[in-house]
Amino acid sequence: GQWSNPEKKTELHLPERNDMIATNFDLKEHESKSDTPILLEDSPILRLWYKPDTVFNMPKTNMLLEFQSIVAYQSPESIVLLSLWQLALAERANDFTYLASMAGLYCDFVITKTGLELHVSGYNDKLDKLLERIVQVIKSNELDDDVFYRLKDKLKQQFLNFPFLEPYQHAMYGGDLCMLDQKFTIQEKIEALKDITSKDVLHFGLNQFLKRFRLECLVHGNSSIEDAKRLTNVVIDSIKPKAPFALSEERVVQLTTSKRYVYRLDSFNPSNTNSVVERIYQMGPLTLLQNAHLALMNNILKEPAFNELRTQQQLGYIVHTSINTFGNNHNVKGYLILIQSDSYSPKVLEERIDTFFHETSRDILKLDKETFDQQVAAVCQTLREKPKNLLQESSRYWGSISKRNYNFTRMKDIANLLEKEVTPDSLLNFYEKYIMESPRLSVQVHGNNHDIPTLENTNDTDVLIIENPTEFKRTMPLFPLKPTAQFQKES
């Protein structure tokens, strides 16, 4: 009898219908002939950029959004609240991200220094379905206590694991503490985290962050202009934000003397034997032509620096040189050399860096015409390299948008200037000005077998010791911000 008249088991059921599965894979006509994104909307609450896919011809769209808010990076507490809210959003989105991935759709939340980024990508036909679900998650006023305490513990463990990162990461952290006006210590974040509750997180997200923000958005792919506006309105019409009174701006300390600034740290991990020197030659805001010189100098010196300091002198396993950028619009440039060593003290590493970059590198940059032309060609080839897929192309456009320079042809422009206007003599002049004469910051991390020298034992009169980064920043000027970008909306 039980088999012929079985009871219904409500816990046994078919999975819900996946309404995010695409059914229309048609490619849309290109409504813009521009090779770069065009501006469709520019208001106090929305700046919308649009670029159709004219290269890869895929039925997919990438939508990148940044919710920009002044409350995002005001204090250690606001950073912690934003971090917890971002974790909570990702946790709630797990309810549908598996279904979305089965339909070829993806989303991700990313914290920035000016707010929160949302990346949505996949088949354009049902991208709006995923976006609608994400917006409901963002607006949700629910945060279960069990979930909250798990996320809070996860964030706490991230902070507590900081001492066990590589020493070179601690050096980079020290450089940020000295150079960025709004950079807070790990200990400050740990203190801020202690008393935060789930109600604090929801109040921050719903009543502070979402109350006033500006949305900067890029829609790139198989979408029409009308599609781009419709997708953006899914966010704006649902949340209905007010325009922010101001937006967060990251200011950078301007080193004002040719002397060497030094910030010394004991290793965060007492058992680690590695010491590190990170040296930054600060150049400041550069023109495109100066950036062309910097790109060429970096390319020429990279291999000889590694060969001399790592292979020949065997100072340590990590020898790194690169172009350094500071500020949320990445306009303050510098040149960085970093060495991590378990054999030599920071004092010895500093001396070897001085020898190489203030003596040997000048001769390395004196190239014959054939070698110089080869180096120029190599850099130009890298600058002009085309993206290999839609995501890479989107990321390039978004890089210009998120850095607030909005120059979508910047890499090509630098390559053109490099070919036409950079000469061996002008490169040497650039080196003399920005390596030999520019102010520089050295961050030293002392491993457990190298003590920090006392001030009495520091005899170099050209060295200014930074004892407290916060006090140091209070006494230093800051680089001016770039003028606010002005645009003409596409008609």
Side-chain angles (χ1 to χ4, degrees), residues 87-99:
L87 290 173
L89 296 179
E91 181 80 14
R92 287 200 292 267
N94 284 338
D95 292 343
F96 53 78
T97 50
Y98 174 75
L99 283 176

Side-chain angles (χ1 to χ4, degrees), residues 443-476:
V443 180
Q444 301 176 356
V445 177
H446 291 251
N448 66 5
N449 52 353
H450 297 118
D451 294 331
I452 294 180
T454 62
L455 291 179
E456 291 76 15
N457 294 333
T458 302
N459 300 318
D460 192 341
T461 56
D462 289 332
V463 173
L464 297 176
I465 303 298
I466 300 171
E467 296 186 68
N468 184 318
T470 302
E471 289 302 311
F472 169 71
K473 289 184 286 190
R474 289 183 66 249
T475 63
M476 296 296 291

Side-chain angles (χ1 to χ4, degrees), residues 47 49 214 216 400-401 403-408 485 487:
R47 185 176 286 160
W49 298 92
R214 185 180 71 177
E216 185 124 28
S400 296
I401 293 169
K403 293 172 185 175
R404 314 282 185 266
N405 65 50
Y406 303 102
N407 182 356
F408 300 109
F487 304 101

Side-chain angles (χ1 to χ4, degrees), residues 382-401:
T382 300
L383 292 170
R384 290 170 176 155
E385 185 176 357
K386 294 182 178 180
K388 295 178 173 60
N389 52 55
L390 187 70
L391 181 59
Q392 280 190 8
E393 187 178 354
S394 299
S395 297
R396 288 191 186 183
Y397 296 143
W398 188 246
S400 296
I401 293 169

Side-chain angles (χ1 to χ4, degrees), residues 159-175:
F159 294 153
L160 293 178
N161 286 337
F162 176 79
F164 305 104
L165 298 178
E166 284 289 326
Y168 76 85
Q169 294 172 291
H170 297 149
M172 298 175 79
Y173 161 80

Side-chain angles (χ1 to χ4, degrees), residues 281 301 321 335 337 353-359 361 431 435:
Y281 294 87
L301 292 181
T321 58
Y335 187 70
I337 169 72
I353 292 173
D354 283 340
T355 300
F356 180 82
F357 281 95
H358 293 211
E359 297 175 21
S361 57
Y431 163 83
I435 297 296

Side-chain angles (χ1 to χ4, degrees), residues 333-349:
K333 295 292 184 180
Y335 187 70
L336 179 147
I337 169 72
L338 183 147
I339 303 175
Q340 178 170 304
S341 171
D342 65 352
S343 303
Y344 296 93
S345 69
K347 182 178 185 297
V348 173
L349 299 180

